[in-house]
Every structure is written in C-alpha cells, then in structure tokens.
Amino acid sequence: MHVHSFTVYDVLVRNAGCHPGRPAVVTEDGDTVTFTRLLERVDALATGLAGAGLGKGDRVLVIAQNSVAYFELYFACARQGIVPYPLNWRLSADEVARSCVRARPRALVIDEAYHEVLPGDGAGLEGVTLKAQLDGNPPDGWIGFDRLRSPEATAERPEVAADEPFAIIPTAAVDVIPRGAVLTHTNVVTANLQTAAAMNLVPADGNLLALPLFHIAALGSGLAVMQAGGQNVVMPRFDPAEAVRLIDAHGLTFISDFPPVLVSVLDQAKEQGSDLPSLRIVNGLDSPDTIERLHAETGADFWSGFGQTETTGWVTLQRFRDRPGAAGVPGPACRVRVVDDYDRDVPPGTAGEILARGPTVFHGYFDQPEVNEHTFRGGWHHTGDVGRFDTDGYLHYVKRKPEKDLIKPGGENVYPAEVETTIMELPEASGVCVFGVPDRKWGEGIMAVVETAGDLSAAQVVDHVGSRIARFKRPQHVAFTDSLPRDESGAVDREAVKAKWAETVSG
C-alpha cells in the first residue's frame, strides 16, 4: 500500500480505531451498529464480493432504496477497489437499459421491486457474474445479499490508490443517456474534510440519511458526518413524520434538503409539538420563505452553496443568514472562476460561466474521453452554470448555460432535451420547447410548449413521457401552439418561448 494512500475505506478503519464503541449507523430496523461492528460487517461483505469474482475496476450496478446494506456496500467496494454505479430507482426500464449499456457492470444489486426495470434482452449485462437481491426472496439465478457476507473476513485487500475511482454517480441525461461522473477516493475524502471544517462537524453529530443514496447530496452528507466520527440514521424512503421522530429520538443534528423535504419536516414538527432541539444544520436548496421559517421555528442554520455531482458536492458554501441570496465563498480546497465565452475572467458583478479546479473535481465522465476533453479544457472544469462574484468574493448563482439548460424538480436533474426528444416521438408533434417554471411544492416544475397541427391533449403528452422515461420528468404544465418561435437557422427560439408562455403558469 502506498505511503500516501487514504481511501474511503480507511475512514472507516480510522474511526473503528478512534471510536470503537460509538454508534456509526442506526439501521432501518432501529438497530445500532458501532464503528467496530460496521468494520466487521464491511470486511465480511468485501470477502464475499471478492469470492464472487469481483475485482478492482469492476462496476456494481445498484437500484435500491436506502438501507444499511446499501451504505455498507460503498465501503466494501472501496476496500476492494470495486466501483458502485448507483441508479435512480425512479428511472424507467428504457432509461435503465441505456444506463446498463454505458455502465457494462459485472454485478447487479437491487431491491426486489426493481427486477421489472432491468433490460429484458440483457443488453449491457453480458458481463454480469453476480446478481444479488437486498430484500425479499431472490428468484433463480439471484442470491440474497446477506448470503454474500463471509463468516471469515479473509479477502486480501488489494492496493487501492487514493486517485482511483470510488464510485460512478450518474448525472442528468445531457445526451439522453445519463453521464457517469467518476468520483475518486481523494475527491470524497477532501469533500468530507471541507464540509466538516465549514460546519464544525464533530463525533457528537448525527445525520438523517433520508435522501436517496444514489444522490451526491445524501452520500456526501452521510460520508462527511461519518468521517467526523458521527452517526447516520438510515431511512429507506423519506417520510416527514418518521423523520421528526428519528431526529428527536436520536438527537440528530444534520439533515439534507431539497423541496419539499424541509417544509414537510417543519409542518410535522409543529404537529408533533417539537421544535427539533438537536437540529443545527440543514444543508441544501430551498426557498427563502422556507429557510426563514427554519430559522424562526428552530435553532438550526441553513447552509447554501454551489456545487455539482462533478465537484463531489459543494465548491462554495455559507450559512444562508451570512449573505442571503449568495452561494458562499470558495471552499478551502477549491478554486473558482467566472469567465466569458473565451475563458477570460470577468469583473465582479458580471455574469459568466463558473469554472472550478481542485481535489474535489471529479476524474471525468465514465468512458467519454471526448466529453472530458471539452469539459476540462484549459485545466478547469467547465460547470455549464452561470454565476457572478460580488465585490466581497461571494458567488451568486444565475442560471444554466443554454446548451446545458437544467430543471430541478425536488432536487432531481431533468434536462429539457431529454423530455423534448421523448415528446417528439409523438407523430402529432412537429416541435417542442421544455423549460422550468416556479413550483411551490417542488421548487421548480416542468412546462412543455408543443407545436402541433393535430389533435393532441395534455394528458397524452404527460402519459407518453411517463411511459418512456422517469415519471418525475413528466411536464406539470402543457401548452399547445400551431407555430413555435424560431430563429434564422430554424431552431426553436427558447427565450422567446419562455417569454411568451412562462407567465401563463403561477408558482
């Protein structure tokens, strides 16, 4: 093992040595697992994975709800240099099939409910040698996940360098197939330390692991709290009443938020007569009104920032109350620039593309060298997001660049191009423009303006999208026109469409 190596697995080994009897995880069944016991479970699982023929660089496709086993799988894979490739469990069968072709996994780990979304023709699964089911009774050809654990953790630990892949986290489907962001151990360990330093995380902290583990927000917060020596309480799926109960029962201090998580927690806390006395950190995205309500009704601080899966979470971060509306200053391990179309720095107050560099920036998109070359041009990660610095060095987010226009309903990433491609499968559609609109519940909603000369209803458009791609990508609002605005090249003029139709929707 290299003298400078420190991986995500080493975080667990370190904690088992420093905090052997402290709680590391509270399972979905309410059982407490100490750091020592968690290390034993992870080592037993790693031995089972190795015994099943998995080795360094092999990818494990995961489709599952949160569980302690899912969390342990990340650490067991880290020990052996195996690479988790988690998918959003809300994806359609077609989307899963496309992801399988890109991922080319050696193993599948899924919940019982998700057999139906696996490719029926086996495309992309030709190299699979292990199929494990996390819950229920596995069918023929599958093994129960707990049976993978070896009673004797004897697998040799291969040399895993800190700059090797820890996980491949899919991002939104810019080119229809979700791109897989390769995060290294250095990316994750550095991001953990940066978050812990900013928020003063300590062993007494505890995180509610409620957002899905395929998302960098959930994975990042869980690993940051763990690296600080704190505990994670696992929720299989978010439920606001249960969230309040768990926060109060375990004295949890940290939750991650995308609309409508926080507002539903505050509503439930009020109903249960709790002011969430232990909570001190809420980290994520939400409306100013909801954030003000958090500050008025609890003793917690809301933390906001700018980041992506590609930057292993935040590259700028702040307490919201320090500079309302801003996204914070660059973290201690990040450099951030705002540039024009020629990558020249722009002065404070001027909007431009946000570039980032540092040890939290991802290794690249899996198996897409040409995309990586373009994304990393000039030695900087080009985020595709537009922002501006103020004169005090605080970053302010403005929007996505037009070619990477992004809608975020409830924290999910939806690229208009993917929804537009799906709608254009309808023979009655001759053109379409999809864009984001304000939404009280989800933060942002999806609107589609469809050009058609035929007989097409909003229900047909919504049902078609829901039948072809994930249901959270369905438009909440559909309008029709016999002629979309177009520019001189014949392309749909997106800004003209937004200007004409966005005002027809109230948030």
Side-chain angles (χ1 to χ4, degrees), residues 9 17 76 211 246 250 257 286 303 342 377 383 396-397 416 468:
Y9 174 76
L211 296 185
L246 290 172
H250 296 280
D257 168 48
D286 221 310
W303 289 74
Y342 303 97
R377 59 192 183 276
T383 67
H396 295 252
Y397 178 81
R468 298 283 288 127

Side-chain angles (χ1 to χ4, degrees), residues 19 21-26 32-35 229-232:
H19 313 292
R22 288 191 63 86
V25 180
V26 177
T32 298
V33 181
T34 66
F35 279 108
Q231 68 172 323
N232 280 271

Side-chain angles (χ1 to χ4, degrees), residues 386-465:
V386 176
R388 60 178 175 81
F389 277 117
D390 62 27
T391 54
D392 293 325
Y394 283 78
L395 183 70
H396 295 252
Y397 178 81
V398 176
K399 63 179 180 179
R400 292 287 287 179
K401 293 188 72 175
E403 65 268 26
K404 286 191 174 181
D405 204 4
L406 180 68
I407 307 168
K408 293 184 75 71
E412 299 282 9
N413 290 339
V414 178
Y415 275 101
E418 182 183 17
V419 183
E420 290 167 349
T421 298
T422 304
I423 293 174
M424 286 301 293
E425 295 172 349
L426 293 166
E428 299 89 349
S430 56
V432 63
C433 182
V434 172
F435 53 93
V437 292
D439 186 277
R440 283 194 185 92
K441 180 176 182 181
W442 301 106
E444 195 168 19
I446 302 170
M447 182 168 190
V449 181
V450 183
E451 180 184 86
T452 180
D455 185 13
L456 191 61
S457 70
Q460 286 175 294
V461 173
V462 173
D463 290 346
H464 179 71
V465 173

Side-chain angles (χ1 to χ4, degrees), residues 242-309:
E242 179 66 0
V244 171
R245 188 190 72 79
L246 290 172
I247 291 168
D248 286 346
H250 296 280
L252 300 183
T253 59
F254 193 121
I255 62 171
S256 296
D257 168 48
F258 287 112
V261 168
L262 179 55
V263 71
S264 61
V265 167
L266 293 174
D267 287 346
Q268 280 295 322
K270 188 174 183 179
E271 185 172 320
Q272 296 181 29
S274 171
D275 61 0
L276 304 172
S278 63
L279 190 64
R280 70 180 189 90
I281 296 168
V282 180
N283 182 26
L285 300 173
D286 221 310
S287 69
D289 288 347
T290 301
I291 294 170
E292 285 185 19
R293 185 179 165 195
L294 171 77
H295 292 161
E297 296 178 9
T298 77
D301 271 312
F302 194 93
W303 289 74
S304 58
F306 169 76
Q308 304 176 315
T309 300

